[in-house]
């Protein structure tokens, strides 16, 4: 137990000494969307800070089907692995009918394992 606590503490200490990995999540999969341009703009500004590693994460790249409609083990595993590798998130979210996009909601539903 003591070695386990020391190992856990060491991992936390190493993480605190290194830069955080922040995902800039593009919350739309629609053709003609503007989130890639907005994401790049946010990343360019964030990169100037120099205090974290920023990465654009496009949910469209994961080709997640609607949750429960078909087997998406491979896509969900890739999505959850990506989320687990990040320390924080910035969401680029479009408003649809006073709410998040359906594609972002679906992607977050798949994220239950990472969170």
């Amino acid at each position: 137990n003591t070695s386990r606590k020391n190992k856990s503490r060491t991992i936390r200490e190493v993480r605190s000494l290194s830069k955080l990995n922040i995902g800039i999540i593009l919350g739309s999969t629609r053709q003609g969307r503007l989130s890639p341009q907005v994401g790049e703009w946010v990343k360019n500004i964030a990169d100037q800070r120099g205090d974290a590693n920023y990465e654009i994460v496009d949910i469209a790249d994961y080709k997640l089907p609607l949750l429960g409609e078909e087997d998406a083990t491979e896509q969900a595993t890739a999505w959850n692995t990506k989320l687990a590798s990040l320390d924080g998130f910035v969401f680029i979210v479009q408003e649809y009918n006073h709410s998040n996009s359906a594609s972002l909601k679906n992607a977050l539903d798949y994220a239950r394992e990472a969170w």
Side-chain angles (χ1 to χ4, degrees):
N1 253 355
T2 304
S3 67
R4 187 181 215 178
K5 283 183 180 179
N6 289 339
K7 184 177 182 182
S8 177
R9 185 177 49 192
T10 303
I11 291 169
R12 283 194 305 266
E13 290 169 355
V14 168
R15 272 199 152 172
S16 69
L17 296 175
S18 62
K19 290 182 178 182
L20 294 174
N21 294 311
I22 307 297
I24 300 171
I25 311 292
L26 304 184
S28 176
T29 58
R30 217 170 127 175
Q31 249 184 355
R33 63 200 170 127
L34 297 177
S35 57
Q37 295 91 325
V38 175
E40 283 295 332
W41 177 76
V42 169
K43 184 179 183 318
N44 288 336
I45 291 170
D47 282 341
Q48 293 174 21
R49 295 175 48 107
D51 59 351
N53 300 311
Y54 295 92
E55 171 186 359
I56 292 179
V57 180
D58 190 346
I59 62 174
D61 292 342
Y62 294 89
K63 298 179 179 26
L64 295 163
L66 291 177
L67 187 64
E69 286 202 353
E70 61 184 80
D71 180 31
T73 303
E74 187 177 327
Q75 298 97 315
T77 299
W79 172 239
N80 280 282
T81 300
K82 171 47 70 183
L83 293 177
S85 74
L86 300 168
D87 300 305
F89 310 93
V90 173
F91 289 92
I92 307 298
V93 182
Q94 300 72 9
E95 179 186 337
Y96 292 106
N97 297 322
H98 308 289
S99 189
N100 299 329
S101 68
S103 54
L104 178 60
K105 166 71 168 90
N106 188 58
L108 294 177
D109 287 344
Y110 273 104
R112 64 186 181 270
E113 291 176 25
W115 294 328

